[in-house]
Amino acid sequence: MLTKLTGGKVYDPENGIDGEVRDIFIENGRIVSPSPNARVDHEYPLHGRVVMAGGIDPHTHIGGGKVTIARMLMPEDHIGHEVAGTELTRPGVGHAIPSTLTAGYRYAEMGYTAAFEPAMLPSNARQAHMELGDTPIVDKGAFVMLGSDDYFLRQLAGKSDFSAIKDYIAWTMHAAQAIAVKVVNPGGISAFKFNQRKLDLDEKHAYYGVTPRDIILTLARGVQELGVVHPIHIHGCNLGVPGGVETTLATIKGSEGLPIHLTHIQFHSYGTEGDMKFSSGATRVAEAVNANKNVSIDVGQVMFGQTCTASGDTMRQFVNTRSADPKKWVVMDIECDAGCGVLPFKYRDKSYVNALQWAIGLELFLLVNDPWRLFLTTDHPNGGPFTCYPHLIRLLMDKTFRQEMMRTINQDALKWSTLASLDREYTLYEIAIMTRAGPARSLGLKDRGHLGVGASADITVYDDNPDREAMFATPELLFKNGELIVRNGKIVKVVNGATHVARPAYDASIEKPLKAYFDDYLTMRMENFRLPDDEIIDRGRGSIVIQPTGARAS
């Protein structure tokens, strides 16, 4: 069946299309170029409408152990946010930490067709993928966490041959069914178990004697040489610490030109100026990002209101327990692998610190020049729920609205930020880069994030409303693989998205020492640690898309 979307204003940055009026043809779930005399079976007139590829969230915590804990820890987040079941959708709950079903529905109702969990423990991969598989409509994938696991730190401390380290990285990606690799507070989660309460970039781990810099460079080089498309995804040292901007700048400078992605960088851009010893370092960070083309970032924008912070960074989350709101929290160690910390949090617009965090995130958005290396995130739920994205987009596109919001927050905070002096307004083309084309390119999603021939027909249609928040909150139409699934912001069909994985090559001989390690140190057998394809496919309920990898020059 051939479907035609007629006369929409197309924003497709991957193919250089900036608001041109074009027709799009769909057949068998793909965008096609039909013969001139092909018969159109169904036509959607879209004159005056805005057409983009389906949205892609490259960093959102929607599956895995810490998210499960957060959902259980905050039953009050369920009250008033119940989603009734319909003939099409099943019941769900939650605002800051929506249930799996609700998360999928809300992403689709917002025009998104893919979302990626950025912090999956290898030992918890089965649960993470079960929750992702239970999240309807959107494609998904997960980044496996390395860098505080005992086996890797033993390799680094023992100066193992680099090929063996690469084999371990690749083996872990296969075992956990991951698309990328993430490091969280490099070595710090492990150091916390040895009673270290901080670990700076060049500070040695008390037991292994390696530094976070050693860990970052090893993983960055390993991921690059394995041919994994997405660079090492770095949650750096000193998250949330005044003065942490210095560590961020040192990390960028010390990357040795290797591709790196710095995540939720807003939380790593704090200076120490002023009476409160807390100021914005966004200008310096943006200048460094602009000058170093090997660096990409996502922001982790803070949005005011109730949320819940959930992170593998036990070292920092333990410190943050003093600020929990309401006053309850969970911090735990997990075998030799990692840990997690979960605590509720409320960002207040009259708070000096929270207002400055909000301003710093917006500064980064407005000061970084290249939207291809800058992705729109709130580090859901840590900075705020992903459902805040339409509001955030309006803040970026509408200077007058942004200034109105600035008048409502703590005014002392603005004195230590450059936000008031920034006039930039994002265009629809730039928004399409940050929320579609850029994440797709970074993750290696060749047939997503664009509207060229051969692309998967994941397409969002918006009313061109001057109120950009209203526009992006409620798309008129959303197609997933060519099927209409949302009309006027309401689900009209439920489908299952695919799971994206990367499978770099490795030498199978790594399994012999790994088997001995599992037998000696872990409570899970190596055979059970590995997640087979069948569990993701689950009798046809899911599917797997394998991203191409290949060795690249170092």
Side-chain angles (χ1 to χ4, degrees):
M1 186 174 78
L2 184 64
T3 300
K4 181 182 180 184
L5 310 183
T6 305
K9 292 186 292 185
V10 175
Y11 292 85
D12 182 12
E14 185 63 37
N15 294 295
I17 301 171
D18 184 3
E20 296 177 23
V21 176
R22 292 201 173 195
D23 299 336
I24 296 174
F25 296 88
I26 304 168
E27 190 170 43
N28 297 325
R30 298 274 169 182
I31 295 174
V32 299
S33 179
S35 61
N37 57 355
R39 183 175 66 87
V40 173
D41 298 287
H42 194 81
E43 182 175 5
Y44 293 87
L46 302 181
H47 304 286
R49 306 300 193 273
V50 169
V51 182
M52 296 182 180
I56 299 171
D57 192 339
H59 186 110
T60 176
H61 297 283
I62 54 173
K66 64 188 177 303
V67 182
T68 302
I69 293 170
R71 288 167 175 150
M72 292 189 296
L73 186 66
M74 287 189 66
E76 60 269 36
D77 185 60
H78 307 169
I79 300 169
H81 299 286
E82 301 88 353
V83 179
T86 70
E87 292 182 359
L88 291 171
T89 60
R90 292 162 57 192
V93 293
H95 169 63
I97 37 175
S99 59
T100 53
L101 296 164
T102 303
Y105 300 149
R106 285 182 176 160
Y107 264 118
E109 289 165 351
M110 212 168 59
Y112 275 68
T113 54
F116 290 83
E117 164 57 57
M120 172 178 64
L121 286 181
S123 60
N124 191 48
R126 179 166 282 104
Q127 180 188 346
H129 279 289
M130 288 178 70
E131 293 188 337
L132 293 174
D134 203 40
T135 304
I137 301 175
V138 294
D139 284 5
K140 43 259 174 182
F143 308 164
V144 71
M145 286 173 60
L146 292 173
S148 274
D149 46 311
D150 178 62
Y151 191 88
F152 171 78
L153 292 173
R154 285 169 181 256
Q155 284 184 307
L156 213 54
K159 302 189 184 305
S160 293
D161 184 81
F162 188 65
S163 62
I165 294 176
K166 286 199 298 182
D167 286 337
Y168 173 63
I169 295 170
W171 181 89
T172 306
M173 290 187 70
H174 279 249
Q177 298 276 16
I179 189 174
V181 176
K182 182 183 185 183
V183 59
V184 174
N185 190 354
I189 306 168
S190 170
F192 184 76
K193 302 170 193 277
F194 292 88
N195 292 318
Q196 283 182 274
R197 291 298 178 257
K198 71 176 188 66
L199 192 65
D200 213 337
L201 189 63
D202 292 304
E203 188 175 355
K204 288 186 177 181
H205 189 292
Y207 181 77
Y208 298 99
V210 300
T211 68
R213 186 189 297 271
D214 298 331
I215 293 167
I216 290 171
L217 290 176
T218 301
L219 289 173
R221 180 184 164 199
V223 166
Q224 183 196 41
E225 292 190 12
L226 287 168
V228 177
V229 176
H230 189 60
I232 182 65
H233 200 87
I234 302 171
H235 163 143
C237 310
N238 293 326
L239 177 143
V241 176
V245 63
E246 304 298 340
T247 305
T248 301
L249 295 171
T251 302
I252 293 172
K253 184 177 180 180
S255 62
E256 299 182 1
L258 290 164
I260 60 172
H261 179 88
L262 300 179
T263 191
H264 43 61
I265 199 167
Q266 176 274 135
F267 290 106
H268 301 269
S269 300
Y270 303 156
T272 56
E273 297 179 88
D275 294 340
M276 301 286 287
K277 304 300 181 185
F278 185 76
S279 59
S280 171
T283 299
R284 297 173 66 199
V285 171
E287 288 172 350
V289 172
N290 289 336
N292 291 272
K293 306 305 181 185
N294 61 307
V295 179
S296 61
I297 63 171
D298 63 78
V299 170
Q301 176 68 37
V302 157
M303 306 299 281
F304 299 122
Q306 180 69 57
T307 192
C308 181
T309 65
S311 172
D313 191 347
T314 42
M315 182 179 280
R316 297 311 313 160
Q317 287 292 75
F318 179 73
V319 174
N320 290 339
T321 56
R322 69 187 74 164
S323 302
D325 186 356
K327 294 291 183 184
K328 52 184 174 179
W329 51 270
V330 173
V331 173
M332 62 188 295
D333 288 332
I334 302 169
E335 285 208 353
C336 303
D337 223 7
C340 77
V342 180
L343 55 136
F345 197 88
K346 184 176 288 185
Y347 293 103
R348 294 179 166 85
D349 56 3
K350 302 303 182 185
S351 158
Y352 174 89
V353 170
N354 297 163
L356 189 51
Q357 289 176 304
W358 178 86
I360 290 169
L362 294 175
E363 282 183 283
L364 290 163
F365 274 117
L366 299 170
L367 290 169
V368 171
N369 296 329
D370 184 3
W372 287 98
R373 296 187 289 120
L374 170 66
F375 308 139
L376 187 142
T377 67
T378 57
D379 187 22
H380 167 85
N382 292 298
F386 65 78
T387 46
C388 294
Y389 288 173
H391 181 75
L392 174 55
I393 289 171
R394 186 179 180 190
L395 287 168
L396 298 176
M397 295 191 72
D398 186 339
K399 181 183 68 174
T400 300
F401 177 69
R402 186 166 68 236
Q403 291 171 337
E404 289 172 0
M405 293 298 101
M406 289 168 58
R407 286 193 284 271
T408 69
I409 69 171
N410 184 299
Q411 296 300 295
D412 289 335
L414 290 175
K415 297 174 184 176
W416 299 101
S417 159
T418 65
L419 183 60
S421 67
L422 301 179
D423 294 329
R424 180 179 177 184
E425 292 180 313
Y426 268 75
T427 66
L428 285 171
Y429 189 77
E430 290 173 317
I431 294 296
I433 294 172
M434 282 203 306
T435 61
R436 273 96 173 153
R441 183 185 289 184
S442 179
L443 290 164
L445 311 179
K446 297 288 188 183
D447 61 351
R448 268 75 170 177
H450 71 95
L451 300 173
V453 171
S456 177
D458 292 359
I459 304 169
T460 314
V461 178
Y462 298 103
D463 176 31
D464 194 1
N465 189 335
D467 180 344
R468 298 310 193 190
E469 183 171 354
M471 170 180 167
F472 282 97
T474 310
E476 287 197 5
L477 303 172
L478 178 66
F479 297 86
K480 181 78 178 93
N481 295 325
E483 295 187 88
L484 181 63
I485 59 171
V486 171
R487 184 188 290 275
N488 296 323
K490 301 296 183 184
I491 304 288
V492 296
K493 184 171 184 178
V494 177
V495 298
N496 293 317
T499 297
H500 294 257
V501 302
R503 292 181 177 168
Y506 65 91
D507 186 338
S509 65
I510 187 71
E511 294 189 353
K512 184 175 180 180
L514 271 171
K515 176 69 165 60
Y517 176 82
F518 271 81
D519 291 344
D520 288 345
Y521 293 103
L522 300 183
T523 59
M524 185 186 297
R525 292 167 60 91
M526 191 175 82
E527 293 77 8
N528 296 332
F529 189 87
R530 288 187 285 208
L531 182 66
D533 290 356
D534 287 349
E535 292 193 37
I536 291 177
I537 295 171
D538 191 17
R539 295 159 292 183
R541 183 167 168 263
S543 60
I544 296 175
V545 176
I546 301 173
Q547 302 301 330
T549 58
R552 299 197 299 261
S554 60

